Each structure stands twice: as structure tokens, then as C-alpha cells.
Amino acid sequence: MKPHAFIAMPFGIKPGHDEALVDFDRVYAELIRPALEDAGCEVFRADQEPRAGDIRTDMFQELLVADLVVADLTLDNPNVWYELGVRHALRARGVVLVQGPRPNQPFDIYTDRKLRYQLKDGAPDAATLAQDRARLAAMARETLDTSAARKVSPVYVLLDHLREPQWRDLLLAERNEFSDAYEAWASRLEVARQKNRPGDILVLADETPTRALRLEARRAAGNCLIKLRQFDFALEQLEAALALDPDDKPSRDKKAVCLGRLGRFEEAREWTRRLTEDYPSDAEAWSLAGRVARDDWIARWRQPGVAPAQMREAAAAEEASLQEAIEPYHRAFIADPSHFYSGINSLTLHLLLEHLGGRTDRTVIDNLVGGVLWASLTAQERVRTDYWARASYAELCLLVNPREAVIREYRAAVATANRDWFALDSTRQTLELLRDLEFRPEETAAALAIVDAEVKRAAPPFVPRQVFLSSGHMMDAPGRTPPRFPSAMEGAAAERLAQALDAAGAGIGDLALCQAAAGSDLLFLEACMARGVRCRLLLPFAEPQFIEQSVLASQNGERWRERYFALKAKLVDAPRIMPAELGPLPRDVNPYERCNLWLLYTALALGVDKVRFFCLWDGGGGDGRGGTAHMYNEVKRRTGRVTWIDARTL
């Protein structure tokens, strides 16, 4: 998205310091707006808002969330000074000062860097206009590229401990373009999470509705991807958020989760160490440190195919590592006794240490039992459907209560999961840990049976063995000159695609992702179906429009339409329509390029190492944006597993 620039300046024709008139509308139209557009900005001035309402509503919103505020200080205009003061109070950076000729400089901004432009007869001087535009564009780009750690506002420079407010905390009560755009975008993001579609999330993350909101958008996308256990892609989003604001604590917290789950324990330990140093009284920071240490402890002794007795012996030998996991969880629960997550983890690890023959303090364990009981029950009272509070209480029952209570509470917990496969699977992982260490085997087996049954009902996502992605030329339209993919090539193309799929071992358990245009797409999909590959269609337009533009427009279009519907009738999954799934096409975004990225991200999210790309292509540019060349370059940037069938050799 383009950076959003708000202009604070006088409107119309005003008398200058020497009583000569200045046409500020011409200054805006001839100098400021073109310069900022040259810098890649979308430019807005409050008097341009076409809707009815209070002009201050839009002004305050712009001063809060605009990427750049340009203030023209040619005159001592009280409105401009007021707006500049509001921006300096709300944001630590993102201000450019400009001014025409004036006899003196106000004290408050005397030392601030400014761009001075020339006037002649009350308008921008034609002799210097090009130079002034270039200088302003350069200053705007430089300001936008400034590190998030560098403060420009004198308020934030002098008040070192002042922190910028979260934009959502200051949104005006009246609905506006920022809140409307963000709410629609966030709703689609959550739907994609619930449907287990990380590829959708990755596309939406690239389409932050306003650039000013990109920090929260990247953070939200990262959080959704964590819930779907797409830790590599979640880490990319969180690092993008931290590039915007290195001190954003929610992003720092979630990065710790990703590093730990990716097995990068050394980095994760250092990351959480800095978190706990910066936030020594924060329960979440200490809990994250415990989570990293616990995962490290488990990785040290758990081996596939090893008998429980051997794993128990290996786990007991890692007592020091287990103690390192217990301490931060315990500190987190002391810091916040309502933080039931850290409490139950501290208690579970304490009891496992005792179970493995390590030394424990029974008084500490008894205190933890009472603390977790209070924390989890009061959390349930606050929100009756809180799955994690109920799951924590069920785990507490498993640790200390009879088998009948364990069965009752795990049944109650899974009933609130609303078939959230990933939440249930997280609970199952804890139970598998207890099973592997033979902790209360009868109670653990009973709980695991309940959770396993619910996991099966929750319909876990299809996990393909291989993922085949394809793009290629449409069959030529009638009369195309020169021909690129005429009907005469169809047989040879189908044979080459079939050979490529056979060489890749395509078969049952694999997944193919493609559009379904006449030509290469449908030939590829037909070959995949013949080999038992599950096929999914992702279409850039509603089906009638897609058929009109990408099926019927080719040679023998009616025959291709019949083949499209014949293939569609055999699909397990209905075709997915991009505008319905991802929302309307954003400004300046090409639908075919968007669909290419949608296909690619959907494939990569299933496992980068599983993806194979097949393209039938002549190596040249397409008829427009978003063709096979675009997809080929995007795939090559991410993974090198490309099978290129050169259409010139058919």
C-alpha cells in the first residue's frame, strides 16, 4: 500500500507577512501534492473529504495514523500550528516542515530542519519549482525510511519515557475510512484463520488496508499463522512488524514462540532473556521463557520409536534442564496469580520432576494446586466458554484428582473447543508428554481417549504428500497473430505435462493447485485427476466471468467449457473465488498477480519442501500483468523446484 500523507496548510488565498497574497491552493496543487506523489504517497488534505460531517473528525484521524504529515509554516496560521502540535504529541516521527519566504523563524521550531520553497507573484516560482519538488520528494522519502527508533517530535525527544499510544486506543467514536477498512480486513483475516487457510492470511498481510496500520496488520497475521502452526511464515510477519517498531512487545512475545517451536532454542533463549530484562514483572515474558526451556527439555530426551521406560530414564537424566523450565513458569505465576497458563505449567513440571525422582518442595506444590484451582475457576467465571481455562482445570484434575473427575472435566473442556482442531491438538500434545513419561497412566489414557475422539470429529486439515502448482499459457484466441499456443500443440502439451507428473511420482495423497483456464491449466488438472491427485481451483473472478474471459475466449471455447464443468464435477473441494475469499481487489493491484500469489502462498504454507511448480511457457512476457512469467519468478524466489516445459519445443 502507498504511504498516506496528510497536509496541514492554509487554504485558498491568504495575505503573507509582507501583505502580498499567497495562493496556497496553487502551492498545494503545483508543489506539495506532485512532490509527495513522486515520493510514492497517497496525498490527503482535510478540505478534500467529500462526505458530510465535521472536518475535524478526518483531521484528527489523519494526524493519528498518517504515515507522513507535511506542515506548511509560511504563515503563523493557528490551525496549522495546532495540527502540528497534535501530531507531535501523538507520534514520535513522520513530520516534514515546509515554508515559503518569511522574515523570521518561530522559536519552537527554530532548529528544526525545513524545506524552503520559492514564491513569485503569490505562487510557486516556475524558475525553481522543479528543484523544490525534487527536494521535497527526497525529504519525504527520507522521512518515511527513517528508523522507527529515531524520534523527530520534540515532545518525544525531550520526554524520553513517553510512549506512542496504540492507534486503536485513540480511534474516534465516529466510523471513518481507517476503521472501516481495518475492520473489514481483520474480519477476513479471522475467517481465514478459522478455515485453516494460511495462504489467504499471507495474501491479506500483503494488503494492509492502509499503510499506516501495517504494524498491527503484520502482528495480527503473525498471530493467526501461529494458531495454524505455520511458524516459519508467522516469524516472517512478526519480523516485518518489528522492523516497523522494534519495541512492539506483542510482536516480541510471539517471535519467542516461533523461535522455540522452530527448534531454534539458542536464539529463543536469548530473545526471552532480553524480554524478561526489559519487562521483569511481566508474567507473559516469564511464561515465554518457560515455554522455550520446556520445549528444549523435551527435545533433549524424546526420540521417536523409543519405549516409554527408556524415555523416562532419559528425561530423568535431564533434571537440570527441567529445573530451568520450572523457574520462569513459577516466576510468571508469582508475578500474576491470575495467569493460569503459567501456573498449570509450573505445577505439571514440578510433579513430573517428582515423578522422575527429582527433589521437590511439597509445600510449593500444594500452593500451586490451590493457586491454579483459583486462577482457572475464576477465569471460567469471567468467560464460560474459555477453552484454555477449562483445559487448564482439566489438566489440574488429571494431576491430582481421581479418574472419574478427569473424565468429567476433559469432556467439559472439549465441549467448549468448538471443534478447534489446533487447540485440541495442543491439549493432546501435553497428554502425550504425560503418557510418554508414564505419569498417572490410567488417568492420562482416559483423558487422551476423550481428546483423540474430539480431534477426529474436528476434521483435521488435509496434509498432502506433495503439492503441485501450475501455470501456463491459455489456448490461443481465434486469429491470434503470431500464434503462441494453438490447438495443434494440445496433444504434445498434454503428453509432456503427463510425463512431468509421472517423473514427480504424482498420485493419491498429493494436491494440485491451479486456475482452470483453457489450455495449460485444464490439461494439467486433467492429468492430475487421472493419477488420483486431489485438485483445488483458485479463480481470480466469479465463475461466470472467469469462464467468459479464460475459457470461452480460446479456440474451441465451447469444448473447453465442457471440459471445465466435467472436471469441476469430480472435485472434492468446490472452486474458491478470490473476491469472495479475500475481498474486493485493492487499488493498484492486478487480479492475475493477486491470484498467482494466492496460489503460491497456499502451496508454500503446506510445506516449502513439498512444492513442485510446473509451467508450460515460451519464456517470454505475457499479454499483461500476472501471467506465467510473474508466477515463474515468484516461485523461483521462494523455491527452486521448477519443471519448465518450453512451449517453443512442442
Side-chain angles (χ1 to χ4, degrees):
M1 299 296 289
K2 290 182 177 181
H4 200 76
F6 176 71
I7 315 303
M9 67 182 301
F11 306 150
I13 299 173
K14 299 286 190 298
H17 288 280
D18 57 1
E19 298 303 320
L21 297 178
V22 179
D23 189 339
F24 284 100
D25 288 346
R26 287 189 63 183
V27 172
Y28 173 71
E30 297 174 21
L31 170 61
I32 296 177
R33 184 184 187 104
L36 295 177
E37 288 176 343
D38 288 346
C41 295
E42 182 179 26
V43 186
F44 181 78
R45 198 168 72 162
D47 65 324
Q48 296 177 315
E49 174 54 52
R51 298 172 301 177
D54 187 348
I55 193 172
R56 291 181 304 171
T57 299
D58 302 296
M59 179 190 75
F60 284 134
Q61 204 63 75
E62 291 283 345
L63 293 172
L64 172 65
V65 298
D67 296 284
L68 191 69
V69 170
V70 177
D72 189 320
L73 303 178
T74 304
L75 305 182
D76 292 328
N77 183 291
N79 291 327
V80 175
W81 281 102
Y82 175 73
E83 292 165 25
L84 177 60
V86 170
R87 174 65 177 201
H88 276 165
L90 291 173
R91 289 288 175 253
R93 60 194 63 80
V95 173
V96 169
L97 303 180
V98 301
Q99 69 177 52
R102 57 175 295 157
N104 53 57
Q105 296 297 316
F107 174 77
D108 286 342
I109 52 112
Y110 186 82
T111 59
D112 290 14
R113 182 184 175 199
K114 308 172 198 67
L115 182 134
R116 293 176 170 83
Y117 61 84
Q118 301 301 312
L119 294 172
K120 184 175 182 180
D121 298 328
D125 188 343
T128 60
L129 180 57
Q131 180 183 358
D132 289 340
R133 275 187 190 170
R135 289 168 55 227
L136 178 53
M139 183 179 283
R141 283 191 290 266
E142 181 183 330
T143 303
L144 288 167
D145 293 340
T146 297
S147 165
R150 181 183 172 190
K151 300 174 182 178
V152 174
S153 163
V155 180
Y156 286 88
V157 169
L158 295 173
L159 302 179
D160 189 51
H161 296 289
L162 186 64
R163 294 292 178 263
E164 291 184 336
Q166 291 294 323
W167 69 269
R168 285 186 62 80
D169 296 339
L170 297 182
L171 273 180
L172 300 179
E174 182 179 329
R175 295 176 67 89
N176 57 75
E177 62 170 324
F178 289 103
S179 60
D180 288 349
Y182 184 80
E183 292 303 328
W185 178 89
S187 176
R188 294 191 181 280
L189 196 73
E190 177 57 20
V191 168
R193 184 197 68 77
Q194 292 181 11
K195 291 183 176 180
N196 182 30
R197 291 174 177 170
D200 294 21
I201 293 171
L202 291 167
V203 174
L204 290 166
D206 287 345
E207 295 177 356
T208 308
T210 53
R211 189 174 183 268
L213 311 183
R214 63 197 184 282
L215 169 62
E216 182 155 340
R218 293 292 183 183
R219 185 201 300 147
N223 198 38
C224 285
L225 290 163
I226 285 174
K227 291 178 180 178
L228 299 183
R229 301 208 177 153
Q230 297 287 337
F231 299 112
D232 279 313
F233 289 111
L235 186 59
E236 286 185 12
Q237 298 301 318
L238 296 166
E239 288 182 334
L242 290 169
L244 298 168
D245 182 359
D247 296 325
D248 183 55
K249 185 176 181 298
S251 298
R252 293 179 68 186
D253 288 347
K254 297 303 182 182
K255 180 175 177 177
V257 173
C258 292
L259 291 171
R261 289 306 178 94
L262 290 170
R264 294 161 59 174
F265 294 119
E266 291 77 12
E267 294 172 74
R269 283 179 182 276
E270 175 60 19
W271 193 256
T272 54
R273 182 190 66 78
R274 284 187 284 168
L275 263 176
T276 54
E277 285 182 355
D278 292 345
Y279 303 95
S281 300
D282 183 74
E284 187 64 25
W286 284 108
S287 180
L288 287 166
R291 184 174 187 165
V292 169
R294 182 196 63 184
D295 289 349
D296 188 17
W297 169 65
I298 294 171
R300 287 173 178 270
W301 56 263
R302 179 179 266 168
Q303 298 293 331
V306 176
Q310 293 174 285
M311 281 195 283
R312 182 173 172 177
E313 182 180 351
E318 297 290 345
E319 180 178 338
S321 180
L322 177 54
Q323 291 279 15
E324 288 182 12
I326 289 172
E327 181 186 358
Y329 273 131
H330 197 63
R331 291 188 66 166
F333 198 45
I334 291 171
D336 182 1
S338 69
H339 201 262
F340 57 82
Y341 173 82
S342 57
I344 190 62
N345 277 283
S346 177
L347 176 59
T348 299
L349 294 181
H350 267 101
L351 289 173
L352 284 176
L353 177 61
E354 183 180 69
H355 175 67
L356 295 170
R359 295 181 60 185
T360 57
D361 186 332
R362 256 291 146 186
T363 302
V364 171
I365 290 175
D366 291 342
N367 289 340
L368 281 170
V369 170
V372 174
L373 177 65
W374 173 83
S376 58
L377 288 178
T378 54
Q380 290 179 51
E381 286 297 320
R382 289 191 296 271
V383 183
R384 301 297 299 176
T385 57
D386 186 337
Y387 172 74
W388 295 110
R390 286 194 169 274
S392 295
Y393 180 64
E395 186 175 336
L396 172 63
C397 291
L398 171 57
L399 298 176
V400 299
N401 285 352
R403 182 173 179 274
E404 293 74 20
V406 174
I407 292 172
R408 182 178 63 251
E409 295 306 326
Y410 270 94
R411 284 175 176 167
V414 299
T416 64
N418 196 24
R419 299 200 175 183
D420 183 336
W421 188 89
F422 292 96
L424 291 164
D425 190 57
S426 180
T427 299
R428 179 171 60 180
Q429 289 184 38
T430 299
L431 293 172
E432 288 174 342
L433 167 65
L434 300 177
R435 179 202 62 194
D436 290 349
L437 295 179
E438 300 179 299
F439 180 86
R440 302 195 77 191
E442 288 188 13
E443 291 80 0
T444 298
L448 194 53
I450 292 167
V451 174
D452 276 340
E454 191 66 19
V455 165
K456 290 177 182 177
R457 281 192 288 269
F462 169 59
V463 179
R465 180 176 61 114
Q466 297 183 95
V467 182
F468 301 135
L469 184 65
S470 183
S471 178
H473 293 313
M474 271 186 62
M475 194 61 65
D476 285 350
R480 179 188 174 105
T481 305
R484 182 179 63 182
F485 189 22
S487 294
M489 287 186 180
E490 180 186 329
E495 184 179 351
R496 293 281 293 278
L497 284 166
Q499 291 171 354
L501 286 167
D502 288 338
I508 295 172
D510 296 333
L511 176 68
L513 297 166
C514 195
Q515 294 187 42
S520 175
D521 288 357
L522 279 171
L523 292 173
F524 168 77
L525 291 165
E526 289 170 344
C528 285
M529 278 209 165
R531 287 156 179 77
V533 176
R534 183 169 175 170
C535 297
R536 285 184 188 156
L537 309 188
L538 276 64
L539 307 183
F541 309 109
E543 190 175 57
Q545 182 182 354
F546 178 78
I547 291 173
E548 184 70 27
Q549 294 181 201
S550 299
V551 179
L552 289 174
S554 65
Q555 295 174 16
N556 304 314
E558 289 292 343
R559 181 171 64 87
W560 284 106
R561 178 165 62 178
E562 292 175 7
R563 291 168 73 169
Y564 170 86
F565 281 111
L567 182 132
K568 179 185 174 183
K570 300 175 185 177
L571 294 174
V572 175
D573 311 299
R576 297 184 60 205
I577 309 302
M578 189 169 71
E581 303 286 349
L582 302 181
L585 194 70
R587 282 179 294 182
D588 303 320
V589 174
N590 178 274
Y592 297 104
E593 288 184 353
R594 189 191 200 199
C595 196
N596 278 350
L597 293 176
W598 190 28
L599 284 160
L600 176 59
Y601 288 157
T602 300
L604 293 174
L606 292 165
V608 174
D609 58 329
K610 297 180 180 182
V611 177
R612 293 173 177 268
F613 176 59
F614 300 83
C615 66
L616 191 151
W617 178 42
D618 64 5
D623 294 334
R625 293 168 59 188
T628 302
H630 173 256
M631 178 69 102
Y632 177 86
N633 290 328
E634 287 293 327
V635 173
K636 289 284 283 187
R637 191 167 62 87
R638 289 280 189 170
T639 174
R641 306 185 77 175
V642 174
T643 298
W644 176 14
I645 300 171
D646 192 337
R648 295 168 296 187
T649 66
L650 297 178

